[in-house]
Amino acid sequence: MEKALDVTRGLTLVFTGNGKGKTTAALGMALRAWGQGMKVLILQFIKGGWKYGELKAAEKLGPRFVMQQMGEGFIKGSNDEGLELHRTAAQKALKEAQQVILEGAADMVVLDEINYAVHYGLVDKRDVLDIIRSKPPHLHLVLTGRNVSDEVAEMADLVTEMREVKHPFVAGIPAQKGIEF
Amino acid sequence: MEKALDVTRGLTLVFTGNGKGKTTAALGMALRAWGQGMKVLILQFIKGGWKYGELKAAEKLGPRFVMQQMGEGFIKGSNDEGLELHRTAAQKALKEAQQVILEGAADMVVLDEINYAVHYGLVDKRDVLDIIRSKPPHLHLVLTGRNVSDEVAEMADLVTEMREVKHPFVAGIPAQKGIEF
């Protein structure tokens, strides 16, 4: 195992599927990288608008763990009236991501819910493919969100599908502090 | 959403499957809970023996984020010569978990790789079911590891299967700092 430490190759990881754990897996990756002294940037493409435990955690973790909420909240479907607002927010997140990645200002960049943003046409798939293709070799890139496109999955080094087997909301349990937010 | 904040009900979550992201999803959950001011304990039932980014992160997060490696490293199969050593370590982790849970000394307890430990007979499935059944109502319990037993899945509130779609090791890429460790 130790020898591998010398080989630095930034990976592109995808967490997709309809199950829970995509964003949390990305957060765990970010925490692990942060623990290794890396600089982490997490950009949210969809969620936003209320206080998450992770936002409070990010504050406490300090300047090497930056989390930016760019999204305008949940999309209600492709007929969502606020779709244009979502698009503006997602485009802003994309620009931020492109800039940080280009500058090499982070060791790991998490594009949270970007797959979902592509799926809804808020972000052009070609822009995402460009980011993967042109990222600095050392950079770890983590893309989350359901409905990852085939081309993005094809370019990624690792793809995990989170499959929902059982969900508490189905059983009528409300969102819980420390779990859902 | 806000109303749900008043209802505190500890959930039992399972991350299973052969894909990456089970432990990292649990770590992300733990980070989120920690950010909410909760006290988190993470017990590793299998992995151990070398430095993880998450161990370094845990040190920095302080006394509300405790991570204990109890396992004796990877199991090579049911004929592994060190199986007895693994069993001793897993039993020690189990005892620790039972005690912390009984005392109500944590708001979230992650039993990392416990499903795997049960699968290999290092831990008795009935002990795990007992923990789920007798945990304090407010406690969030997270169980990770492939091959979750049907009975544990049945008792859990949420089960996500991490399905491996694509893995970098298949493509001959060595373990990367900040990703694998």
Side-chain angles (χ1 to χ4, degrees):
Chain A
M1 286 301 291
E2 289 304 317
K3 275 204 172 167
L5 304 194
D6 302 316
V7 187
T8 298
R9 182 192 182 292
L11 299 180
T12 299
L13 315 180
V14 170
F15 295 117
T16 191
N18 65 345
K20 292 276 303 168
K22 299 184 290 293
T23 295
T24 37
L27 275 177
M29 284 282 173
L31 183 66
R32 183 176 285 170
W34 178 84
Q36 291 277 19
M38 293 181 175
K39 194 173 169 190
V40 177
L41 173 71
I42 300 168
L43 288 167
Q44 290 187 299
F45 277 73
I46 301 286
K47 283 178 197 162
W50 77 83
K51 290 281 170 197
Y52 289 91
E54 60 258 38
L55 282 170
K56 297 184 190 170
E59 276 173 34
K60 293 177 195 171
L61 296 180
R64 278 199 298 105
F65 196 101
V66 178
M67 179 169 256
Q68 287 183 24
Q69 286 194 295
M70 312 295 277
E72 296 285 342
F74 292 115
I75 294 176
K76 286 162 203 142
S78 10
N79 293 323
D80 190 330
E81 290 172 1
L83 208 59
E84 201 46 53
L85 203 66
H86 290 304
R87 183 174 286 116
T88 307
Q91 286 295 324
K92 200 175 149 199
L94 184 73
K95 289 263 179 307
E96 177 74 15
Q98 286 167 327
Q99 193 178 333
V100 168
I101 290 167
L102 197 72
E103 287 171 356
D107 302 298
M108 176 181 284
V109 172
V110 176
L111 306 179
D112 190 39
E113 300 285 6
I114 193 166
N115 301 332
Y116 205 59
V118 167
H119 181 73
Y120 272 103
L122 308 181
V123 165
D124 193 320
K125 186 167 57 190
R126 287 167 300 184
D127 287 332
V128 179
L129 294 171
D130 273 350
I131 285 178
I132 300 173
R133 205 178 285 119
S134 61
K135 75 173 185 62
H138 78 279
L139 181 83
H140 294 310
L141 191 62
V142 185
L143 300 94
T144 83
R146 51 176 79 188
N147 300 319
V148 67
S149 78
D150 291 344
E151 295 96 319
V152 169
E154 187 57 42
M155 281 195 72
D157 296 300
L158 176 144
V159 179
T160 300
E161 180 199 345
M162 274 67 170
R163 201 170 67 80
E164 180 182 308
V165 180
K166 200 173 176 184
H167 193 292
F169 290 86
V170 177
I173 302 165
Q176 293 298 315
K177 181 169 166 177
I179 296 287
E180 297 286 336
F181 55 93
Chain B
M1 288 300 291
E2 289 304 316
K3 277 206 172 167
L5 304 192
D6 302 318
V7 187
T8 299
R9 181 192 182 292
L11 300 180
T12 299
L13 316 179
V14 170
F15 294 117
T16 191
N18 65 345
K20 291 276 301 170
K22 299 183 289 294
T23 295
T24 37
L27 277 177
M29 283 284 173
L31 182 66
R32 183 175 286 171
W34 178 84
Q36 291 278 20
M38 292 181 176
K39 193 172 170 193
V40 177
L41 172 71
I42 301 169
L43 288 168
Q44 291 188 298
F45 278 73
I46 301 285
K47 284 180 197 161
W50 76 85
K51 289 282 170 197
Y52 289 90
E54 59 261 37
L55 282 171
K56 296 183 190 173
E59 277 173 34
K60 292 177 196 172
L61 296 180
R64 278 199 299 105
F65 196 100
V66 179
M67 180 170 255
Q68 287 183 25
Q69 286 194 294
M70 313 296 276
E72 295 287 340
F74 291 115
I75 294 175
K76 286 161 200 142
S78 12
N79 292 323
D80 190 329
E81 290 171 3
L83 207 60
E84 205 42 55
L85 204 65
H86 290 305
R87 183 172 289 119
T88 306
Q91 287 296 325
K92 201 175 148 197
L94 184 73
K95 288 264 179 306
E96 176 75 15
Q98 286 166 328
Q99 194 179 332
V100 168
I101 290 167
L102 197 72
E103 288 171 354
D107 302 298
M108 177 181 284
V109 172
V110 176
L111 306 179
D112 190 38
E113 300 285 7
I114 193 166
N115 301 331
Y116 204 58
V118 167
H119 182 71
Y120 273 103
L122 307 181
V123 166
D124 194 320
K125 188 166 57 190
R126 286 166 301 184
D127 287 333
V128 179
L129 294 171
D130 273 350
I131 285 178
I132 300 173
R133 205 178 287 120
S134 62
K135 73 173 186 63
H138 78 281
L139 181 83
H140 294 311
L141 191 62
V142 185
L143 299 95
T144 83
R146 50 177 80 189
N147 300 319
V148 68
S149 79
D150 291 344
E151 295 95 321
V152 170
E154 188 55 43
M155 282 194 71
D157 296 299
L158 176 144
V159 179
T160 301
E161 181 199 344
M162 274 64 172
R163 202 170 65 82
E164 180 182 309
V165 180
K166 200 174 177 184
H167 193 292
F169 290 85
V170 177
I173 301 165
Q176 293 297 316
K177 182 171 166 177
I179 296 287
E180 297 286 337
F181 54 94

